[in-house]
Amino acid sequence: MRQYMLGLTLAVAAVSPALAEGAEKKGLPQLRFEDFPPQIFWLAVTFVLLLVLLSTLVLPKLQGTIEGRKAKLEGDLSDAVRLKDEAAAAIAAYEKALAAARQRANAIAAEAKAKIEAAAAARKAELEAQLAEEAKAAEARISATKAAALAEVRTIALDASRAITAKVAGIEVDEASAAPAVDAALARNG
Amino acid sequence: MAAGGEAHGPLHQFEITRLVPLDLGGVDISFTNSALWMVIIVAVSTLFFVIATSRAAIVPGRLQSIAELSYEFVAGLLRDNAGKEGMKYFPFVFTIFIFVLMANMLGMVPYSFTVTSHLAVTATMSFIIIIGITVLGIVKHGFGFFHVFLPSGVPMWLAPLLIVIEVISYLTRPVSLSVRLFANMMAGHTTLKVFASFVVGLGVLAGWLPLLFVVALTGLEVLIAFLQAYIFTILTCIYLNDAFHPHH
């Protein structure tokens, strides 16, 4: 489209001398070759000047700024990563310590419980032993009393049998001869 | 744009006027209006970049951002198109970009002169770029540089035809590079001038319509001023790539 525009404007300029009027020289100013040398000379001078100025005053500084920023960003990022890792490590250590403390507390509680239970069990055993001993003593006493009572029963039975024999049969039976009969009777009746 | 109240044709803005006639061994090196604007380009660009980079802050301000943006823009172009080896020529490519961009942009200032609207300027730059790249390629690769004209894997019977085509396309590079820039700048400014003269010609009643058009075209021209600087720079990078990697 721009080529057509250029063509159009050039055509306008060519066919209407009224537009390219007055003191102006004929033809396209761009194609006046006598104007080329001064343009080329000053282009060379100014371009080299700009090249020297930019590459000495501007470009090293710009490059330094951009690279410095990049380095700073990367440094800050790695710092952030390092700090984050450190924080994670601290949290892990804290949780580990917390778990250890909890474990120790549990162990202490369990130990105390075991101690108390052991004491209670020992006391219980002691009491039971004491009670058993007392019961045994009581039983011994009971059986001694019973034996004594049974012995007395024999004496009473012997006396009673001699008295009954004397009253009923009028026979005086001495103690020695009555004894076997009484013993046999006692053994029969239990 | 009618300087001094005089009416001028649309091509008057491209006239070269000798401000200080100079002569060097029979060669005309007069200081012209074109030379004046080249000096202004150098002054404005250098001043801008020196001020913009004076603080060199970690968090850049507006000017510093623009300077860094242009630096990274050109560096990206060069790295993407010519690879790491091309970065050695970064100052040269950056200067080309800034010079052409500033010439195009300052050309948009009313009453100014557009340096890049002249074939003499664009052709000189283009020929120096292409010849420089060719010399660089031959120095770096010797005869191997001529692989540029024959891509590998092409059947031998195609070679004669292809080499001719590639040589022609290589030789037209400086022509297309220079004509594209100068023709774009010239066409844009001529069109602006033609429509601006319509504003005056049609007067208060109907002149508003071309005026609106001139406003819109000015916006377009600013875009084209940047775009042509970009195209000139990226083509330089692409051609530079041939000097480093002649084997396609």
Side-chain angles (χ1 to χ4, degrees):
Chain A
M1 185 195 144
R2 305 195 59 78
Q3 276 75 6
Y4 296 129
M5 263 190 197
L6 176 66
L8 178 78
T9 48
L10 292 188
V12 167
V15 298
S16 65
L19 282 172
E21 69 192 283
E24 289 172 22
K25 290 176 247 173
K26 290 279 181 309
L28 212 54
Q30 278 87 347
L31 295 178
R32 254 174 241 141
F33 293 102
E34 72 269 20
D35 286 346
F36 272 39
Q39 287 189 74
I40 293 171
F41 174 79
W42 286 101
L43 172 67
V45 170
T46 52
F47 188 87
V48 170
L49 183 65
L50 184 64
L51 179 63
V52 170
L53 284 173
L54 285 183
S55 47
T56 52
L57 294 180
V58 174
L59 291 179
K61 205 167 177 188
L62 258 180
Q63 192 182 8
T65 311
I66 290 171
E67 277 173 4
R69 178 179 307 122
K70 207 188 272 173
K72 171 133 178 58
L73 272 179
E74 277 165 7
D76 285 0
L77 274 178
S78 70
D79 273 2
V81 168
R82 189 175 49 74
L83 287 176
K84 195 182 152 207
D85 287 350
E86 277 176 10
I91 286 173
Y94 165 76
E95 274 176 357
K96 206 172 142 197
L98 195 67
R102 193 172 285 144
Q103 208 169 15
R104 220 171 53 222
N106 283 343
I108 289 169
E111 201 183 319
K113 196 181 160 202
K115 217 185 261 171
I116 288 166
E117 274 175 354
R123 183 129 177 75
K124 193 180 161 202
E126 200 182 309
L127 267 171
E128 273 174 357
Q130 203 183 327
L131 285 175
E133 215 170 282
E134 276 172 17
K136 221 161 145 193
E139 261 169 31
R141 249 189 350 261
I142 288 167
S143 60
T145 315
K146 193 179 164 189
L150 281 176
E152 228 153 296
V153 165
R154 185 176 172 266
T155 321
I156 292 164
L158 200 58
D159 287 349
S161 61
R162 276 168 64 201
I164 289 165
T165 315
K167 202 101 175 227
V168 173
I171 313 163
E172 280 292 334
V173 184
D174 64 353
E175 221 180 287
S177 47
V182 170
D183 283 341
L186 273 176
R188 212 167 42 242
N189 297 326
Chain B
M1 288 186 199
E6 251 178 282
H8 291 297
L11 297 181
H12 176 261
Q13 54 182 319
F14 304 117
E15 288 293 336
I16 298 283
T17 49
R18 283 163 176 71
L19 303 175
V20 183
L22 291 170
D23 190 276
L24 185 77
V27 182
D28 181 11
I29 56 157
S30 303
F31 193 79
T32 60
N33 52 345
S34 167
L36 173 66
W37 280 95
M38 288 177 192
V39 171
I40 292 174
I41 289 165
V42 172
V44 170
S45 332
T46 309
L47 212 63
F48 167 77
F49 276 105
V50 166
I51 291 171
T53 56
S54 61
R55 277 192 50 230
I58 286 285
V59 179
R62 287 198 195 108
L63 285 185
Q64 199 187 335
S65 284
I66 297 172
E68 287 178 10
L69 215 63
S70 60
Y71 179 98
E72 284 179 338
F73 178 71
V74 178
L77 275 185
L78 190 54
R79 203 179 303 112
D80 292 347
N81 290 295
K84 267 200 150 45
E85 306 102 308
M87 291 312 281
K88 218 164 73 186
Y89 300 92
F90 177 75
F92 179 71
V93 175
F94 187 75
T95 309
I96 284 178
F97 178 70
I98 294 302
F99 191 90
V100 174
L101 182 68
M102 277 294 177
N104 295 354
M105 286 297 180
L106 289 176
M108 290 307 297
V109 177
Y111 296 110
S112 72
F113 180 87
T114 316
V115 172
T116 41
S117 70
H118 268 264
L119 186 60
V121 171
T122 60
T124 306
M125 291 176 81
S126 306
F127 274 97
I128 284 178
I129 289 168
I130 298 296
I131 292 170
I133 286 171
T134 310
V135 169
L136 185 71
I138 291 171
V139 166
K140 276 204 177 300
H141 296 277
F143 188 74
F145 177 68
F146 295 102
H147 278 285
V148 161
F149 302 127
L150 185 63
S152 54
V154 170
M156 276 323 279
W157 60 269
L158 255 181
L161 182 65
L162 207 69
I163 288 172
V164 170
I165 292 173
E166 290 280 345
V167 167
I168 291 172
S169 103
Y170 194 87
L171 292 179
T172 54
R173 276 178 180 182
V175 178
S176 66
L177 194 60
S178 56
V179 170
R180 182 184 301 109
L181 179 56
F182 118 79
N184 267 289
M185 287 301 116
M186 184 191 166
H189 285 78
T190 312
T191 316
L192 271 179
K193 172 71 192 197
V194 167
F195 277 96
S197 66
F198 287 165
V199 179
V200 181
L202 292 174
V204 183
L205 284 178
W208 299 102
L209 204 67
L211 181 63
L212 281 178
F213 207 80
V214 168
V215 171
L217 265 182
T218 305
L220 182 71
E221 280 306 312
V222 171
L223 174 73
I224 285 166
F226 171 78
L227 200 65
Q228 289 304 320
Y230 168 68
I231 291 172
F232 200 87
T233 314
I234 196 170
L235 284 175
T236 304
C237 297
I238 291 171
Y239 297 157
L240 193 60
N241 185 43
D242 279 343
F244 297 117
H245 313 102
H247 309 270
H248 287 275

